[in-house]
Amino acid sequence: MPYEVIIIGGSFAGLSAAMQLARARRRILVIDAGEPRNRFAKASHGFLGQDGAAPAQIMREGLRQLSAYPSVDFVHGHAVWASGEFDRFEVTLADGAAYAARRLVLAHGVADTLPEVPGLAERWGRTVVHCPFCHGYEFGDRPLGVLATGPLGAHQAEMLPDWGPTTLFTQGLFVPEPEVKGRLDRRGVTVETTPVAALLGDAPGLEAVRLADGRVLPLAALFTAPQTAPNGGFAEALGCAFEDGPTGAYIAADGRQETNVPGVFAAGDAARAMHNATLASASGVMAGVGAYQSLSLG
């Protein structure tokens, strides 16, 4: 007998979708590989009621709570393929197991492509981060940097002086337009055109960056915007439409998180241009409610 809903991804968005469906007494399956995007972060911040808690702790508690609902099943494994159509979807795992459902929720997150700078990857999620609201407070009043991956870096740099003195490293990718440069000047942002060549200090800590001309600039944290792409290729295989975001394409969804493919819903970072734990959870709630409405009301 097929499930009513399969949710691919068991992080903030997926578990939030599962909770709504569990409370609606729907028979659901959550498939998760245990590799959430936020696994590198020591703590989650700005998430009401969870501020300072480790992401893994939040997810463990979510799983504990969901386990109390008898209509919810969990599978730990890598989903590798999704196919089908309205009322007849199938998800295949790497071990060959296959599961059927009437509806799908894609909450599998995104993959980050980080800038290729020596010393950066091993600090990702700790002292190399993407969101000042999530991570800026802990570095308050210390020197901060923005490693640009494109013009979006100027927007990041405009925000950061509220947390600490800020340097924008353009990496030779762009020259700020006069209007943008004027805003950066008013915010006290230093624009550095010489590229960052390496990050220094005992990882995951950060003490400074070395520039291509040999100069060393002290930094407590480096903000950047990696390129992102939805994990797994499930949305493409199902025929879902995409929209272009500032860091990459994301799955297009309507107000109840349904994609252009009837019966397929998407939530979390894979279905949003802006990435944030609270927003991921909220979109998961809406996807769960949307899937319920689709099952009950058509």
Side-chain angles (χ1 to χ4, degrees):
M1 179 179 177
Y3 288 95
E4 292 181 279
V5 184
I6 289 177
I7 300 168
I8 303 177
S11 189
F12 296 162
L15 295 184
S16 295
M19 180 60 77
Q20 312 313 307
L21 289 159
R23 293 193 56 77
R25 303 194 300 175
R26 294 295 181 170
R27 186 166 181 262
I28 65 174
L29 174 67
V30 179
I31 299 172
D32 186 62
E35 298 176 353
R37 184 188 187 193
N38 56 20
R39 65 190 180 275
F40 304 106
K42 184 178 181 181
S44 177
H45 290 289
F47 196 163
L48 186 63
Q50 301 289 352
D51 190 56
Q57 176 187 334
I58 297 171
M59 287 181 280
R60 280 196 301 270
E61 178 61 16
L63 286 169
R64 186 194 68 78
Q65 293 176 6
L66 279 165
S67 296
Y69 292 88
S71 65
V72 185
D73 289 339
F74 302 92
V75 169
H76 178 77
H78 285 269
V80 295
W81 190 249
S83 60
E85 58 187 10
F86 192 78
D87 273 340
R88 293 189 297 273
F89 294 103
E90 185 173 274
V91 178
T92 304
L93 272 60
D95 64 4
Y99 301 91
R102 295 180 60 198
R103 303 289 185 272
L104 289 181
V105 175
L106 306 179
H108 43 63
V110 298
D112 293 299
T113 300
L114 298 171
E116 294 184 1
V117 177
L120 188 146
E122 53 265 43
R123 293 172 170 85
W124 176 238
R126 303 296 289 274
T127 52
V128 176
V129 290
H130 78 290
C131 171
F133 296 100
C134 303
H135 305 287
Y137 187 88
E138 284 63 41
F139 300 109
D141 297 325
R142 288 182 283 170
L144 306 175
V146 173
L147 188 76
T149 56
L152 177 63
H155 173 66
Q156 286 183 294
E158 282 186 64
M159 293 192 296
L160 271 180
D162 288 322
W163 285 270
T166 302
T167 300
L168 169 62
F169 301 97
T170 64
Q171 297 298 97
L173 297 175
F174 69 101
V175 176
E177 298 288 338
E179 181 181 347
V180 174
K181 182 62 165 61
R183 292 200 303 267
L184 292 169
D185 289 343
R186 288 191 292 274
R187 293 285 283 159
V189 175
T190 300
V191 177
E192 177 58 68
T193 58
T194 302
V196 172
L199 279 64
L200 307 177
D202 293 329
L206 176 63
E207 295 178 4
V209 294
R210 185 174 67 247
L211 304 186
D213 61 10
R215 284 180 291 147
V216 173
L217 302 182
L219 283 185
L222 186 64
F223 289 76
T224 193
Q227 290 298 296
T228 59
N231 280 317
F234 310 111
E236 294 93 335
L238 291 161
C240 296
F242 288 79
E243 295 187 21
D244 291 326
T247 64
Y250 62 94
I251 305 167
D254 64 15
R256 66 176 192 173
Q257 298 300 134
E258 189 167 17
T259 71
N260 64 300
V261 179
V264 178
F265 297 77
D269 289 355
R272 294 189 57 85
M274 184 176 180
H275 301 157
N276 170 283
T278 305
L279 295 175
S281 181
S283 68
V285 169
M286 196 65 252
V289 171
Y292 162 77
Q293 292 174 332
S294 176
L295 289 165
S296 299
L297 308 176

